[in-house]
């Protein structure tokens, strides 16, 4: 199976972006003085260990060093090199890789720490990078005529993008009709509730328990049935090149086992028919084609079985119930006592912090007495070195004292975020991705593409940060039968469950748009919370 996703079915010509980035990298390598391989370069860290390689020639670079910053030179880094007296030994350049297509409908800007840097460190340099990435897309696909932004950072990105168009304009007369009709920018700050909840799609759960990283998971070979490599870790790629994964990645996990069972049963029936009846050559050919999908079926049966060892635990089911109780915002004392008990039992740090953040946000902070008590108990259980962690969360507004009455109840009711008896098998609403909770961020996107944000103006004001809507040029109507394309950019990261919800929206009958996702990084509650963890000393 391909490690790199196939982009042939992407709604944009993302292959051209990938080819351009590869070409730029090859040009960098060609411009470095000295003999190199014509068809590729193997890069290694220099260490005392013997080099294991099939290459017939090994070159040690000991006198001349080249440092390439991706995507842009960093003044701070160069300053450190100067202070350490290394700067004069280096040739410093940059490799402008601003956009990375990680799948046929997902673009990543690979800014892992953007949210924490903006919210805690006050470093907004990532916003320039996001605007630059979008502007680079515009040079390939045309000036985006409509821009909507919600949240402080998103509005700032929209402003920077407009300034870039003034300073380095996209020539609209030469480009023809823009391929992207609308850009929607959403701050992660606007909806920190969604990433704190446990994702319940197949891909989302893989991320929750195995931590998807750059389109793959790493796990023990024995889990995947590779007995000869027992005790070793193997990487399992997860992208749309795997046809079965493409089919099941966005399904609620409750349904996945049933789908896999049906495919395995069908394969078994075909095998039985082939061995017990006379088959024509064309029928044998069809059966061999089906056999090609057997490794994919086996792979996902193994993965689903492994996930089931987590999802069948009473502790997992209890946590899901508590998450829904917190989101429904009707049993404060029950939620408080549950989190208190987790802290006293010293349950995994990340799990406690996620519920603590969820509890604090839905209540607009905790009353001073409760805040001080949980803070004190947390430090007693996990160590006073985590004062910095709690300070980071407080600075980001994720765990704080209550200053105003919560407006969460009004927001969830107005946007219909809690859906009773959500159908996970034949979903009719995006709430299926969390088995009854519709991601706030995706409700905002849904509203934006259906009727704009004007009808929910008052609700938008209750959410963090300003919002803006800009028309940058006259809108052109698509007349060749294609649906218009909307680029949804998440400033601070997007979860796999949110991507699944967007795919569900895009596939709905009557939907006038194809949706493509841009993000600083694909994140989960675990990886996002981890960025705030800091130990003193």
């Amino acid at each position: 199976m391909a490690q790199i996703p196939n982009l042939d079915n992407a709604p944009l010509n993302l292959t051209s972006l990938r080819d351009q980035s590869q070409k730029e990298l090859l040009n960098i390598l060609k411009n470095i003085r000295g003999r190199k391989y014509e068809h590729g370069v193997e890069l290694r860290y220099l260490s005392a260990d013997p080099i294991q390689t099939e290459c017939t020639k090994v070159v040690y670079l000991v006198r001349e060093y080249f440092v390439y910053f991706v995507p842009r030179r960093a003044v701070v880094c160069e300053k450190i090199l100067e202070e350490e007296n290394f700067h004069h030994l280096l040739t410093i350049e940059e490799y402008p890789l601003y956009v990375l297509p990680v799948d046929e409908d997902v673009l990543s800007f690979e800014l892992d720490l953007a949210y924490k840097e903006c919210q805690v460190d006050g470093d907004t340099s990532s916003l320039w990078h996001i605007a630059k990435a979008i502007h680079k897309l515009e040079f390939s696909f045309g000036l985006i005529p409509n821009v909507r932004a919600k949240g402080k950072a998103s509005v700032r990105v929209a402003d920077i993008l407009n300034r870039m168009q003034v300073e380095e304009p996209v020539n609209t007369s030469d480009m023809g009709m823009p391929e992207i009709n609308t850009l929607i920018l959403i701050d992660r700050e606007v909806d920190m509730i969604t990433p704190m909840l446990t994702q319940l799609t197949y891909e989302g759960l893989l991320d929750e328990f195995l931590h998807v990283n750059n389109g793959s998971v790493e796990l023990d070979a024995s889990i995947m049935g590779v007995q000869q490599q027992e005790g070793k870790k193997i990487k399992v790629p997860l992208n749309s090149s795997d046809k079965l994964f493409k089919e099941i990645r966005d399904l609620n996990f409750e349904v996945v086992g049933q789908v896999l069972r049906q495919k395995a049963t069908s394969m078994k029936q075909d095998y039985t028919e082939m061995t017990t009846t006379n088959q024509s050559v064309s029928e044998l050919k069809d059966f061999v084609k089906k056999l090609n999908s057997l490794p994919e079926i086996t792979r996902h049966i193994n993965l689903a079985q492994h996930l089931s060892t987590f999802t069948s635990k009473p502790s997992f089911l209890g946590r899901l119930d508590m998450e829904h109780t917190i989101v429904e915002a009707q049993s404060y004392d029950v939620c408080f006592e549950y989190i208190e008990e987790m802290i006293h039992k010293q349950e995994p740090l990340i799990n406690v912090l996620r519920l603590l953040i969820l509890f604090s946000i839905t209540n607009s902070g905790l009353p001073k007495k409760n805040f001080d008590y949980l803070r004190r108990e947390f430090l007693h259980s996990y160590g006073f070195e985590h004062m910095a962690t709690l300070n980071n969360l407080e600075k980001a507004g994720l765990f704080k004292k209550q200053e105003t009455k919560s407006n969460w109840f009004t927001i969830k009711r107005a946007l219909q975020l809690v859906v009773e008896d959500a159908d996970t098998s034949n979903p009719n609403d995006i709430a299926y991705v969390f088995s009854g909770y519709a991601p706030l961020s995706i409700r905002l996107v849904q509203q934006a593409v259906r009727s704009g944000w004007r009808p929910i103006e008052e609700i938008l004001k209750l959410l963090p940060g300003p919002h803006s809507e800009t028309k940058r040029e006259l809108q052109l109507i698509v007349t060749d039968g294609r649906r218009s394309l909307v680029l949804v950019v998440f400033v601070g990261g997007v979860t796999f469950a949110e991507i699944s919800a967007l795919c569900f929206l895009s596939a709905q009958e009557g939907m006038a748009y194809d949706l493509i996702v841009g993000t600083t990084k694909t994140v989960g509650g675990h990886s996002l919370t981890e960025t705030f963890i800091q130990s003193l000393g």
Side-chain angles (χ1 to χ4, degrees), residues 239-522:
N239 60 54
S240 52
S241 296
D242 178 339
K243 291 178 183 176
L244 178 56
F245 182 63
K246 185 177 180 179
E247 181 183 337
I248 65 176
R249 69 194 301 178
D250 299 323
L251 299 179
N252 189 290
F253 187 60
E254 286 180 3
V255 184
V256 171
Q258 183 184 339
V259 173
L260 293 175
R261 196 177 302 112
Q262 286 170 352
K263 290 189 177 294
T265 303
S266 173
M267 184 77 73
K268 187 177 179 182
Q269 287 171 348
D270 289 341
Y271 178 77
T272 303
E273 284 179 18
M274 193 200 74
T275 54
T276 57
T277 61
N278 291 324
Q279 302 283 310
S280 67
V281 174
S282 63
E283 285 172 331
L284 285 172
K285 188 178 177 182
D286 289 341
F287 178 70
V288 170
K289 274 185 183 177
K290 285 186 178 179
L291 275 181
N292 291 334
S293 66
L294 188 58
E296 291 182 355
I297 295 172
T298 305
R299 182 187 304 124
H300 292 293
I301 286 174
N302 287 331
L303 284 172
Q305 189 175 14
H306 184 56
L307 286 183
S308 295
T309 63
F310 299 106
T311 59
S312 59
K313 289 179 180 176
S315 58
F316 174 78
L317 300 172
R319 179 184 173 84
L320 287 187
D321 284 342
M322 184 47 55
E323 287 177 356
H324 279 264
T325 303
I326 292 174
V327 165
E328 285 166 7
Q330 291 179 339
S331 305
Y332 180 91
D333 291 340
V334 172
C335 301
F336 181 87
E337 287 165 13
Y338 185 92
I339 295 171
E340 179 188 21
E341 189 177 345
M342 285 182 77
I343 291 171
H344 290 160
K345 285 181 177 177
Q346 291 187 320
E347 293 199 19
L349 178 67
I350 295 281
N351 293 353
V352 173
L353 289 175
R354 283 175 69 171
L355 275 190
L356 205 56
I357 292 168
L358 189 62
F359 190 45
S360 178
I361 293 173
T362 52
N363 288 283
S364 290
L366 306 183
K368 184 180 184 305
K369 182 181 176 182
N370 293 160
F371 174 85
D372 290 340
Y373 173 76
L374 286 182
R375 195 174 194 278
R376 184 172 65 248
E377 295 303 299
F378 181 89
L379 293 174
H380 281 152
S381 283
Y382 297 97
F384 282 85
E385 65 269 22
H386 278 295
M387 282 182 69
T389 299
L390 295 183
N391 288 342
N392 285 343
L393 293 176
E394 195 170 352
K395 200 169 181 181
L398 300 176
F399 176 54
K400 62 179 186 178
K401 294 172 189 167
Q402 193 178 68
E403 295 174 355
T404 57
K405 187 181 175 184
S406 173
N407 51 33
W408 171 244
F409 192 82
T410 305
I411 293 167
K412 79 177 177 72
R413 187 175 55 188
L415 296 177
Q416 297 177 305
L417 300 183
V418 176
V419 178
E420 299 294 336
D421 303 318
D423 189 343
T424 55
S425 301
N426 299 295
N428 55 11
D429 188 87
I430 58 172
Y432 85 94
V433 299
F434 287 102
S435 295
Y437 165 76
L440 167 57
S441 55
I442 311 305
R443 275 285 193 252
L444 294 181
V445 174
Q446 190 175 18
Q447 184 68 36
V449 297
R450 280 185 178 173
S451 53
W453 280 342
R454 193 160 293 173
I456 58 164
E457 188 92 26
E458 294 308 310
I459 297 300
L460 285 176
K461 289 175 183 176
L462 298 178
L463 295 167
H467 61 278
S468 66
E469 297 192 47
T470 311
K471 287 197 180 297
R472 301 164 81 205
E473 63 172 33
L474 287 175
Q475 187 170 342
L476 298 170
I477 305 298
V478 180
T479 57
D480 60 0
R482 288 181 302 156
R483 296 203 298 180
S484 296
L485 188 63
V486 174
L487 172 62
V488 184
V489 171
F490 292 83
V491 180
V494 65
T495 65
F496 290 105
E498 287 170 304
I499 295 173
S500 293
L502 284 173
C503 289
F504 176 82
L505 274 186
S506 188
Q508 293 309 289
E509 192 176 339
M511 179 64 163
Y513 300 95
D514 281 322
L515 302 173
I516 191 166
V517 177
T519 181
T520 46
K521 188 73 177 175
T522 47

Side-chain angles (χ1 to χ4, degrees), residues 112 207 211 350 354 522-532:
D112 307 39
D207 185 49
H211 310 309
I350 295 281
R354 283 175 69 171
T522 47
V523 298
H526 187 282
S527 58
L528 196 54
T529 304
E530 207 169 35
T531 61
F532 293 95

Side-chain angles (χ1 to χ4, degrees), residues 134-168:
I134 297 168
H135 199 48
K136 191 170 183 178
L137 287 175
E138 290 185 310
F139 276 102
S140 296
F141 306 115
L143 184 73
I144 304 171
N146 305 297
V147 179
R148 292 189 173 99
K150 174 56 185 171
K152 187 168 58 177
S154 290
V155 169
R156 179 91 180 271
V157 169
D159 290 343
I160 296 170
L161 188 61
N162 286 334
R163 193 167 72 238
M164 285 178 173
Q165 173 60 14
V166 171
E167 295 170 357
E168 193 182 359

